[in-house]
Amino acid sequence: DAKTTQPPSMDCAEGRAANLPCNHSTISGNEYVYWYRQIHSQGPQYIIHGLKNNETNEMASLIITEDRKSSTLILPHATLRDTAVYYCIVLPAGGTSYGKLTFGQGTILTVHP
Amino acid sequence: SQTIHQWPATLVQPVGSPLSLECTVEGTSNPNLYWYRQAAGRGLQLLFYSVGIGQISSEVPQNLSASRPQDRQFILSSKKLLLSDSGFYLCAWGTGNAGNTIYFGEGSWLTVV
C-alpha cells in the first residue's frame, strides 16, 4: 500500500480556507486517496475521496495533482468545530484488503477564533 | 441511509473478566465489517474483518475474538481481559467495492484495571 506524508500540525483562522497537503508519491494507478478526520475521543469521520479527478462535497474539496503523487484537502470556510486530526490515506482498489485502513500520524488542524 | 452503532461507549473492566462489545449496521446488506483498535498516539490497528456471516479473519494474534452471528451484527469478545487490552475500539463497515467508503462507529473506550 502506498504510504502518505502529512505535516504534523497546521493552524487556520476561523472563516478562512484550510488547505491540508498530503504526499503519496508511491500511489498505484488503481488506488484511491481518502481523507478522514477524528475529533478527540470520537470515531473517525469520512470526509471525501478521489481517484484522479478533483472532488467536492458539502464538507470539503479534494485536489489531486495530475501525476497523483500529492493531494490537498480544502475546507473552504473553517470553523472551530473543524479542529481535529486529519488523515490522508491510500486504499487499494477492491477485495477484502480494501477496508484495511492504516492511519499515519495525520495533521492536527487547529482553527483559531 | 446507512448507520452504524456500537456499544457500550465506555467500559471499565477488571483484569481477567470477560468482554463483549457489540456493533450493528443498519440500512445495508452483506457489508464487510471490521474491528479496529486505536492506541495512544493515534495509530489504527485492524483486529478482525468479516465478509459474511460466520466468516472471521484475524489480522493479529491476541487475546480477543470476533463473531458475526447475523449479517449486520459484529461482536468483539474476550474470555479474560489483560491490562494490555485497554484502548479505543472501533467498529467499521464497508461494501468491499473499490471507491466505496469505510464508515466508523462512535467507538468504545475500554479500560482494564
Side-chain angles (χ1 to χ4, degrees):
Chain A
D1 298 349
K3 293 185 178 179
T4 62
T5 303
Q6 300 177 251
S9 63
M10 294 184 66
D11 291 336
C12 179
E14 190 176 20
R16 297 285 192 175
N19 299 301
L20 290 85
C22 179
N23 286 323
H24 32 78
S25 59
T26 61
I27 191 170
S28 299
N30 62 353
E31 290 182 317
Y32 287 76
V33 179
Y34 273 72
W35 284 83
Y36 285 81
R37 71 181 182 185
Q38 190 170 24
I39 298 170
H40 183 62
S41 300
Q42 297 183 20
Q45 179 188 22
Y46 164 78
I47 302 174
I48 198 167
H49 73 281
L51 183 61
K52 51 185 175 181
N53 296 324
N54 297 339
E55 301 289 344
T56 296
N57 62 20
E58 65 278 4
M59 289 183 67
S61 295
L62 174 62
I63 308 299
I64 303 174
T65 58
E66 190 170 346
D67 61 8
R68 303 209 324 124
K69 294 184 177 181
S70 65
S71 61
T72 300
L73 177 73
I74 301 173
L75 307 179
H77 305 287
T79 70
L80 298 178
R81 289 178 296 179
D82 292 322
T83 294
V85 181
Y86 286 77
Y87 297 102
C88 167
I89 58 176
V90 172
L91 287 182
T96 55
S97 63
Y98 190 69
K100 297 180 183 179
L101 304 183
T102 301
F103 283 5
Q105 291 302 300
T107 296
I108 301 173
L109 175 68
T110 303
V111 181
H112 298 284
Chain B
S1 63
Q2 301 89 355
T3 58
I4 178 170
H5 298 290
Q6 63 177 105
W7 66 94
T10 59
L11 201 59
V12 180
Q13 292 285 101
V15 169
S17 65
L19 170 72
S20 180
L21 299 178
E22 189 165 344
C23 171
T24 59
V25 180
E26 302 279 340
T28 187
S29 59
N30 197 32
N32 287 356
L33 296 174
Y34 309 88
W35 277 112
Y36 287 86
R37 178 167 56 202
Q38 190 170 32
R42 305 191 294 275
L44 196 69
Q45 180 185 38
L46 178 63
L47 303 176
F48 301 95
Y49 71 91
S50 171
V51 298
I53 296 174
Q55 302 179 59
I56 308 295
S57 295
S58 175
E59 289 294 296
V60 294
Q62 59 205 307
N63 184 43
L64 303 168
S65 62
S67 61
R68 185 170 177 174
Q70 300 181 45
D71 182 44
R72 292 169 292 169
Q73 183 184 27
F74 207 23
I75 298 172
L76 184 69
S77 304
S78 174
K79 293 182 179 179
K80 291 185 178 181
L81 284 169
L82 306 172
L83 288 174
S84 57
D85 292 323
S86 294
F88 190 44
Y89 289 84
L90 292 159
C91 182
W93 77 274
T95 64
N97 297 322
N100 285 319
T101 301
I102 307 298
Y103 294 97
F104 288 86
E106 307 94 331
S108 298
W109 281 102
L110 170 65
T111 303
V112 182
V113 297

